[in-house]
Amino acid sequence: MTPLPRHHSIFFLILRRMRAPLILLIVIMSISVLGLTLAPGVDADGKVQYLSFFHAFYFISYTATTIGFGEIPYAFSDQQRLWVTICIYLSVIGWAYTLGSVFSLLSDRNLQQAFAIQHFSSAVRRMREPFYLVCGYGETGRLVCDALDRMGHRAVVIELDESKVGEIELQGYAADVPAIDADARNPETLKFAGLTHPNCAGVIALTNDDGSNLAIAIAARLLAPRIPVLCRAENQETANTMTAFGTRHVINPFQEFAEMLALALHAPAAWQLANWLTGLPGTTVERFRNPPRGHWILCGHGRFGQHMVSAMDAEEVPVTILDRDPPDDFDHRWVHGEGTSADALRQAGVLTATGIVAATRSDIDNLSIAVAARELNPALFVIVRQNHYANRALFEAYDADITVVPSEIIGHECLAILSTPLLVPFLTILRRSNPAWCEGLYERMTTRLGLAVPEVWSQRLNLASAPALYRRLMRGETITLGMVLRSPENRDEALECGVLYLERDADDHRIVPEADTPLRAGDEILLAGKPGARSSLALTLANEHTLNYVLTGTDLPGGWIWERMSGARKRAPRPDLP
C-alpha cells in the first residue's frame, strides 16, 4: 500500500469517483428546473402563471428528495404536473445511480486504505510522549510491544499483513498503539508513521525479510540520523551492510545465542545471570542445567548450525555434524543421514555424547530428533531450535534443557538496548569476567531479589533526574552509594536493589561497585531491583526532604513556611523552668 502524499487527497479521491453521479444529478436538476419554469400554469384568478427560477428550484429540491410539501405557489396545471412526473422518474434514476456509486465507493479498497492512513497519521501527529516505531508485528514484534507496554512506553506499528494489524486491537494494551498495514520499506510510510516526529525515540526493524530491514535502516539513517535504529538480520552480509551504513544495533538471533552458548560453556553462572537480567518483565527465570563440556552432536548445518559450530570451536568443544548434505568445511567429523534416525544418531556417537543440538528449519524434525536422542541417551543435554512461536505448547510439553526461540532472543536484546543502554556494556564485561566471581554475584543477587526477572534501569546523577543529590554533590558533600540506597519510609532498611555498574565521564567505570564508593555529579549507575525500588530511589534523589531523611535521619517539615517556623523555634532561647 502506498501512502497518500497529502491529507486532503481523500477529498479529491471522493470527487473523482463521484464525478459522473454528481454531474448526472446536476444535469437532471438543471433540466427539471428549466422545464418547470417553461411549463404554463394558472393562478387563483385563472390567469396564465409561470414559476420563477427560485420557486422552480425550491419545488424540484424537495420533490427530488421525496420530501413533498405540495404544489406552490398555486395548484399546478396539467402541463406542469406532466413535467413534474417526468422529473420524479429522472431524479429516481439519478439518485439510484448516485447511491450505488456511494456504496461502491465506501467498499473500495483504496478509499478504505486512504481513511486508515488519515486516521493513523492523525493519531501519530497527536502523540505528545516518546514512542518507538516498530516495523513488523510478527512473533518478535508482539513480544517487544508487550514489553514496551509493561514498561510504560508507547509504540507505533507498521505491518504488511492486515490480519496481524487487526490483532493489535485485541491485545488490550494500556495505551493505544497506532498501527497500519503498509510496506515499511517505503520512506513515505515511515514518515507517516512518525520517523521524523520530534517524539520518535527509536526505530525497531523486526520484519522476517533482511532486505526490508536493510531498507528501513537506510531510510532511518538518511531521514532521521539522530534516532537509534535496531535491526534484525539473519544474513551476515546484510548485517555488515547495516553496520557500514551506521546502524547502531544489528541483532542476529543465531549469533546472539551462539555467543550465549559459548558463555554458558565458559562461565555458566554468567550465562544464568545474563538470562535473569534480560528476561521479559513479569516472568520468572528458572535455574537451568549448565551445558556440559564434552562431545556434542549437531543436527542441521544451516546458518544456525554454523554459528553453533563456531561457538563450540571457540570453547574447544568437539562436535560431530549430522546432516543430509556434506558441509562446506571438513574440519569436523561429519555423518550423512537424518537426525530423526536412530542409526544415524548412533553413528554420530549419541550413546557417549554429552549434548545434542537440533538445529533444522522444521519444528517437527527438531522435536523428533530430541525425542529419539533422549531415548538412546537419557542423560543427554538437549538444545532444540523452535522456528515458530505457534508451536510453543509442543516444545513446553517436551521440556528440553534449552529451547532456542529466535523471536524471544531478539526481543530480549531489543529490550536490553532500549530500556537500559548501560546494560549492554555491563554484559560485555560480564562475559570476560572470572567464572567464580560471576557465580558469586549471581548467587548474591538472586538470593536477595529472587528468581523473578528484576526491573533493570539506569540512573543519571544530573540536575534533571536527581536534582536534590546533584546539588549536594556540587556543594562538595561526600555521599556514597550505600547512603542513598536506603528506604525513604525507613532509612534503617536497604532498598531491594543492587548496583551492577557505574559509568563516569573520566572513564573510571566500575563493575558492581562497593557500598562505600563515593558518588560524583554526572555519574550513571545501572541498577536491578524489585518493583517499587526504582520509584523509591527516584523520590530520594529528587526530593530534598526525603534525601535529608535518608542521609541524616532528620525528617524536616515540608514547605517554606514550616521550614522557617521550624528554624525560628530552634533559634529561640529556651525559657527557664521554675
Side-chain angles (χ1 to χ4, degrees), residues 420-578:
T420 49
L422 208 59
L423 181 59
V424 176
F426 170 75
L427 293 178
T428 302
I429 297 174
L430 187 68
R431 291 167 181 170
R432 300 194 301 261
S433 301
N434 183 280
W437 179 86
C438 294
E439 183 175 0
L441 175 62
Y442 178 66
E443 291 298 330
R444 291 197 307 272
M445 295 294 292
T446 54
T447 300
R448 182 181 177 188
L449 303 178
L451 290 176
V453 174
E455 184 175 8
V456 183
W457 75 98
S458 298
Q459 178 66 56
R460 173 75 72 174
L461 305 183
N462 55 18
L463 188 60
S465 58
L469 179 62
Y470 180 81
R471 294 189 184 99
R472 285 177 175 261
L473 294 175
M474 293 301 292
R475 290 197 296 265
E477 297 187 29
T478 300
I479 301 175
T480 64
L481 271 173
M483 294 170 64
V484 298
L485 295 180
R486 315 298 301 179
S487 172
E489 289 81 18
N490 184 0
R491 66 184 300 269
D492 294 331
E493 298 178 359
L495 285 177
E496 293 183 313
C497 65
V499 179
L500 300 174
Y501 188 62
L502 186 148
E503 184 179 66
R504 284 178 173 160
D505 295 335
D507 292 334
D508 184 17
H509 310 321
R510 303 185 183 185
I511 185 169
V512 193
E514 299 293 337
D516 59 354
T517 302
L519 295 173
R520 301 178 186 173
D523 285 352
E524 185 173 9
I525 53 179
L526 176 68
L527 304 101
K530 292 185 177 180
R534 180 175 185 175
S535 58
S536 297
L537 180 62
L539 177 63
T540 300
L541 300 182
N543 189 278
E544 180 64 36
H545 301 285
T546 306
L547 180 60
N548 187 78
Y549 166 73
V550 169
L551 295 179
T552 65
T554 304
D555 192 2
L556 295 176
W560 183 85
I561 296 177
W562 290 108
E563 287 182 9
R564 295 300 182 272
M565 293 179 63
S566 175
R569 285 196 299 267
K570 291 179 180 179
R571 292 190 298 271
R574 184 177 179 180
D576 295 333
L577 296 175

Side-chain angles (χ1 to χ4, degrees), residues 261 264 268 271-272 275 286-292 296 354-356 374 377-383 398-402:
L261 178 62
W271 169 61
Q272 300 272 10
N275 285 331
E286 299 179 358
R287 292 180 181 269
F288 298 101
R289 184 160 67 110
N290 296 328
W296 281 70
T354 59
I356 187 170
R374 273 270 175 87
N377 186 351
L380 207 60
F381 190 96
V382 179
I383 299 177
Y398 174 71
D399 192 23
D401 291 290
I402 300 178

Side-chain angles (χ1 to χ4, degrees), residues 129 170 174:
E129 59 270 20
L170 304 177

Side-chain angles (χ1 to χ4, degrees), residues 214-215 217-222 239-248:
L214 177 60
I218 294 175
R221 180 70 174 84
L222 296 176
N240 295 338
T241 304
M242 291 178 178
T243 303
F245 211 82
T247 304
R248 301 185 188 180

Side-chain angles (χ1 to χ4, degrees), residues 53-75:
F53 276 99
F54 174 74
H55 286 94
F57 177 76
Y58 177 62
F59 177 81
I60 292 297
S61 296
Y62 67 67
T63 300
T65 55
T66 69
I67 299 175
F69 287 147
E71 300 172 347
I72 59 166
Y74 308 106

Side-chain angles (χ1 to χ4, degrees), residues 6 51 88 106 110 135 168 196 219 225 237 271 289 369 375 389 406 469 489 520:
R6 299 186 182 92
L51 289 180
I88 290 174
L106 292 177
N110 291 331
C135 302
I168 296 178
T196 56
E237 295 181 359
W271 169 61
R289 184 160 67 110
I369 293 169
E375 289 180 353
Y389 198 77
L469 179 62
E489 289 81 18
R520 301 178 186 173

